[in-house]
Amino acid sequence: MVDVVMIRTYEQSKIERFAEYSRVPVINGLTNEYHPCQILADIFTYIEQRGSIEGRTVAWIGDSNNVCRTWLQAAEVLGFQVHVSTPPGYEIDGGRATGVGAARYRQFADPREACRDADLVTTDVWTSMGYESENEARRKAFAGWRVDAELMRAARPDALFMHCLPAHRGEEVTAEVIDGPSSVVWEEAENRLHAQKALLEVLLLGTID
Ligand code: NVA
């Protein structure tokens, strides 16, 4: 009875199973493993602000979560680099980065090194949906992975800051950064709407203006 289905759920396997039996397009609205709609909006925002993302460097600081993994997939498709820095024990799970060439991403123990000369610095909450029971342990483990002015200074002078929101000021990002001149989080949030309209247009009409 519907033309498109969008599902926000937990395990990626659930959405893949649903899609196997669906006669209409199924959009991943977020799973534990991936968040493609967010990355469509983020890349659209980057292009709007700075032009092509090809050949650029994106620094991902914090949890190697659904958003981070999808940045890696996009890097493979669009030809840019991702520098990932996570606390020990929270590194990218090799299996989940399958299909992403090693040339497209590098892991850094030190978040400052990951941000060096980056064109975009981005992060996310330390505890994603479904992992709330790990909250206390994560707050301790991630304390050195807060995006602050010092990390932004390691990036290029015109580097942007993005966050998929909602953010916790003072946890994964300082107020100075998220409310500062490099931050494009509100443009990014608005672009979720426009990117998703474009996605529906492509899925329903097979074309985009
Ligand atoms: N990584 C976050 C993204 C929220 C938009 C989560 O999965 O909760």
Side-chain angles (χ1 to χ4, degrees), residues 8 30-32 35 38 65-67 124-125 127-129 164-166 192:
R8 175 172 278 210
L30 178 150
T31 62
N32 286 347
H35 197 3
Q38 182 66 49
N65 62 13
N66 43 8
V67 183
D124 191 2
V125 291
T127 306
S128 283
M129 286 157 51
C164 58
L165 303 184
R192 285 297 302 276

Side-chain angles (χ1 to χ4, degrees), residues 4-5 42 71 80 89 98 111 124 126 132 155 158 166 194 196:
V4 180
V5 176
D42 291 5
W71 268 113
F80 59 88
T98 303
D124 191 2
W126 290 340
E132 290 79 3
D158 65 345
H194 306 310
Q196 265 70 110

Side-chain angles (χ1 to χ4, degrees), residues 83 108-117 151 154:
H83 290 178
F108 293 82
D110 181 347
R112 272 161 299 273
E113 287 304 312
C115 288
R116 194 171 302 288
D117 295 326
L151 283 194

